[in-house]
């Protein structure tokens, strides 16, 4: 009964991007499995797996093949994207699962091919005999020819959209959707929030450099001082000579800008160089002329 239902499935072609995504997911899964497996041997002697690495990888890929292609007619990446393999050699347009021969040849061409490539590289990498050099050159020529065929197959795949890999074309297996694809429902609420936030951020990036933060800070401190009633304190120059109007410390090399307040030379000079429209934070007077303080103050008056 299950076979009858499976034969009644209609074939839905798969987009090129979906097939490429499935291949990338398969590669990511293999890397994840290998990294998790090698982490189990961190406590052992270094290089313990190096000698048998091709065989260990082949065994892991064999296990993956057993629970993916052999049992479900789809790789892990294809299963995630609702894709599976169809026997394209069958004459009917209905869905036909892969035959056992196709599954076995898939195992030989993928797992066996990669194992043979890695093992041959290890066998002939350090051989210097003439016979081994000839075998190595033949293997390299064959590997290059397969790469060229894979490139040609990929160009044909980009044009026609079927058989993403050379193995699929040789075995006659095609990627199809398991179920008809439904229309995607796209919500724009998240996109609207992102557009508003990015627009606000760009506005701030454009606006903030135009604001004189130092001058604004001085204006706010001047208003706060006026509200607190500090403007009603002594207006004598003797009292104002006790502290710098900017740093609040004893003025070093006291200077004035034309008003009755006193500043350290370095404080007023640096602020004036930074802002040519600098005003006094106490009274708001603009800089008329930077002059050293000439008023003599007795020490007894300061204390």
């Amino acid at each position: 009964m299950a076979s009858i239902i499976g034969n009644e499935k209609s074939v839905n072609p798969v987009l090129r991007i979906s097939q490429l995504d499935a291949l990338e997911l398969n590669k990511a899964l293999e890397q994840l499995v290998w990294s998790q497996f090698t982490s189990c041997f961190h406590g052992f002697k270094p290089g313990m797996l190096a000698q048998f690495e091709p065989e260990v990888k082949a065994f892991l890929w064999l296990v993956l093949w057993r629970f993916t292609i052999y049992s479900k007619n789809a790789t892990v990446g294809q299963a995630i994207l609702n894709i599976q393999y169809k026997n394209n050699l069958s004459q009917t347009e209905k869905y036909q699962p892969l035959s056992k021969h196709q599954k076995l040849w898939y195992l030989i061409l993928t797992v066996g091919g990669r194992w043979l490539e890695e093992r041959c590289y290890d066998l002939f990498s350090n051989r210097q005999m003439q016979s081994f050099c000839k075998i190595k050159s033949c293997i390299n020529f064959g590997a290059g020819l397969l790469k060229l065929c894979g490139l040609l197959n990929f160009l044909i795949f980009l044009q026609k959209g079927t058989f993403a890999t050379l193995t699929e074309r040789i075995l006659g297996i095609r990627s199809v959707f398991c179920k008809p694809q439904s229309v995607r429902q796209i919500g724009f609420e998240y996109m609207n929030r992102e557009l508003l936030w990015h627009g606000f951020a760009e506005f701030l990036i454009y606006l903030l450099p135009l604001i004189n933060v130092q001058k604004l800070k001085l204006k706010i401190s001047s208003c706060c001082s006026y509200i607190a009633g500090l403007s009603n304190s002594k207006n004598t120059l003797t009292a104002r000579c006790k502290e710098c109007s900017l740093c609040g410390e004893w003025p070093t090399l006291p200077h004035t800008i034309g008003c009755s307040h006193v500043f350290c030379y370095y404080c007023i000079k640096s602020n004036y160089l930074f802002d040519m429209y600098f005003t006094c934070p106490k009274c708001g007077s603009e800089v008329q002329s930077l002059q050293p303080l000439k008023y003599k103050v007795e020490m007894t008056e300061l204390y």
Side-chain angles (χ1 to χ4, degrees):
M1 186 66 183
S3 61
I4 295 175
I5 295 174
N7 294 335
E8 292 178 355
K9 290 182 181 178
S10 60
V11 175
N12 300 290
V14 181
L15 299 176
R16 297 172 179 83
I17 187 63
S18 298
Q19 299 183 55
L20 296 177
D21 287 342
L23 294 176
E24 292 298 324
L25 288 174
N26 294 334
K27 294 178 182 178
L29 174 67
E30 292 177 356
Q31 294 177 359
L32 178 62
V33 171
W34 178 246
S35 63
Q36 293 292 327
F37 182 80
T38 54
S39 64
C40 300
F41 293 86
H42 284 171
F44 292 83
K45 183 179 178 180
M48 181 177 178
L49 291 176
Q51 186 177 359
F52 307 101
E53 182 174 339
E55 286 74 20
V56 174
K57 283 186 176 180
F59 175 74
L60 292 177
W61 308 157
L62 175 62
V63 174
L64 288 178
W65 169 85
R66 171 61 182 82
F67 293 101
T68 55
I69 297 294
Y70 185 80
S71 60
K72 298 182 179 179
N73 295 312
T75 62
V76 176
Q78 290 176 332
I80 294 174
L81 299 176
N82 190 30
I83 301 173
Q84 62 184 0
Y85 278 132
K86 168 188 177 296
N87 186 358
N88 202 55
L89 299 178
S90 61
Q91 300 299 326
T92 179
E93 289 296 329
K94 300 297 182 179
Y95 175 78
Q96 292 291 334
L98 302 182
S99 64
K100 290 185 178 181
H101 294 287
Q102 287 177 320
K103 295 177 181 179
L104 291 176
W105 276 110
Y106 186 92
L107 172 67
I108 294 172
L109 294 178
T110 55
V111 179
R114 284 192 291 181
W115 170 81
L116 184 62
E117 181 182 0
E118 294 182 5
R119 180 48 68 190
C120 289
Y121 178 79
D122 292 338
L123 288 176
F124 300 110
S125 59
N126 297 323
R127 303 287 183 175
Q128 300 297 333
M129 296 177 62
Q130 186 176 1
S131 59
F132 284 107
C133 291
K134 290 181 179 179
I135 296 174
K136 183 180 179 180
S137 62
C138 293
I139 293 175
N140 291 334
F141 176 78
L145 185 61
L146 286 176
K147 297 290 184 183
L148 180 60
C149 294
L151 176 61
L152 295 176
N153 176 78
F154 184 73
L155 295 177
I156 298 173
F157 163 73
L158 293 179
Q159 181 181 8
K160 296 185 177 181
T162 56
F163 306 116
T165 62
L166 187 61
T167 303
E168 296 177 1
R169 186 174 295 275
I170 294 173
L171 299 180
I173 55 179
R174 179 184 173 188
S175 298
V176 295
F177 281 118
C178 302
K179 299 177 182 178
Q181 294 295 96
S182 58
V183 179
R184 295 181 61 186
Q185 300 294 333
I186 303 176
F188 295 97
E189 292 79 6
Y190 175 77
M191 187 179 297
N192 291 335
R193 291 196 299 269
E194 288 295 317
L195 289 174
L196 289 174
W197 170 249
H198 285 295
F200 180 69
E202 291 179 359
F203 175 74
L204 289 180
I205 293 173
Y206 173 77
L207 183 63
L208 287 179
L210 303 178
I211 300 176
N212 192 334
V213 180
Q214 184 68 18
K215 188 173 182 179
L216 182 62
K217 187 188 297 183
L218 294 176
K219 285 286 187 182
I220 294 174
S221 62
S222 177
C223 294
C224 293
S225 299
Y226 178 79
I227 294 173
L230 296 179
S231 60
N232 296 327
S233 60
K234 290 185 178 180
N235 291 326
T236 61
L237 186 59
T238 301
R240 293 173 182 173
C241 287
K242 293 182 180 181
E243 63 179 19
C244 172
S245 299
L246 288 173
C247 63
E249 303 294 335
W250 185 274
T252 303
L253 299 176
H255 278 64
T256 61
I257 59 173
C259 64
S260 58
H261 299 96
V262 180
F263 306 87
C264 297
Y265 172 75
Y266 300 105
C267 294
I268 186 60
K269 189 67 176 180
S270 60
N271 280 273
Y272 183 66
L273 290 175
F274 177 76
D275 181 14
M276 61 181 302
Y277 299 104
F278 175 80
T279 57
C280 176
K282 301 292 185 180
C283 61
S285 301
E286 296 183 356
V287 179
Q288 298 178 1
S289 61
L290 189 61
Q291 298 292 336
L293 183 63
K294 299 180 180 180
Y295 186 80
K296 295 182 180 180
V297 181
E298 297 292 338
M299 297 300 296
T300 57
E301 295 180 2
L302 294 177
Y303 293 98

